[in-house]
Amino acid sequence: QVQLTESGGGLVQAGGSLRLSCAASRRTFITRTMGWFRQAPGKERDFVAHTTWDDGSTYYADSVKGRFTISRDNAKNTVYLQMNSLKPEDTAVYYCASGGRASSYYGDYNYWGQGTQVTVSS
């Protein structure tokens, strides 16, 4: 069974926008902390953003701050990543993840989606 499923990836030109969605198979997989990570071929899995249930607080990697926005809609069991002003260096597979701690470390998350490819052309 799949707990988290990402969608919304695709091919866009530099400067364009995409909104990624992460849908949970059941509401219990939308936990206190929801995060987005990305991984390009030959590179480490990098933190992108996370948000917490308690107060809706958000935290972003320096590389995306001011361009990306994470949000969640618990009624829809869904977390989003709005990506604006996309750059070629944003090209990666994007993963959403569910966990307890507010963390930028991938190992602190319990459940993961299968990933969605984002490709930004120059």
Side-chain angles (χ1 to χ4, degrees), residues 51 60 65 84 96:
T51 182
Y60 299 91
K65 188 174 179 62
N84 299 324
C96 70

Side-chain angles (χ1 to χ4, degrees), residues 24-76:
S25 60
R26 64 180 80 176
R27 64 176 178 82
T28 52
F29 292 111
I30 300 295
T31 58
R32 176 177 181 268
T33 302
M34 300 296 298
W36 286 95
F37 293 78
R38 65 187 183 185
Q39 187 166 23
K43 295 186 177 180
E44 298 178 338
R45 190 184 314 178
D46 291 330
F47 167 75
V48 176
H50 66 65
T51 182
T52 56
W53 171 281
D54 309 62
D55 56 4
S57 63
T58 58
Y59 186 78
Y60 299 91
D62 289 342
S63 59
V64 306
K65 188 174 179 62
R67 300 187 297 121
F68 291 11
T69 303
I70 187 172
S71 61
R72 62 198 294 170
D73 186 339
N74 291 298
K76 297 180 179 179

Side-chain angles (χ1 to χ4, degrees), residues 1 17 56 63 76 80:
Q1 62 275 12
S17 297
S63 59
K76 297 180 179 179
Y80 303 96

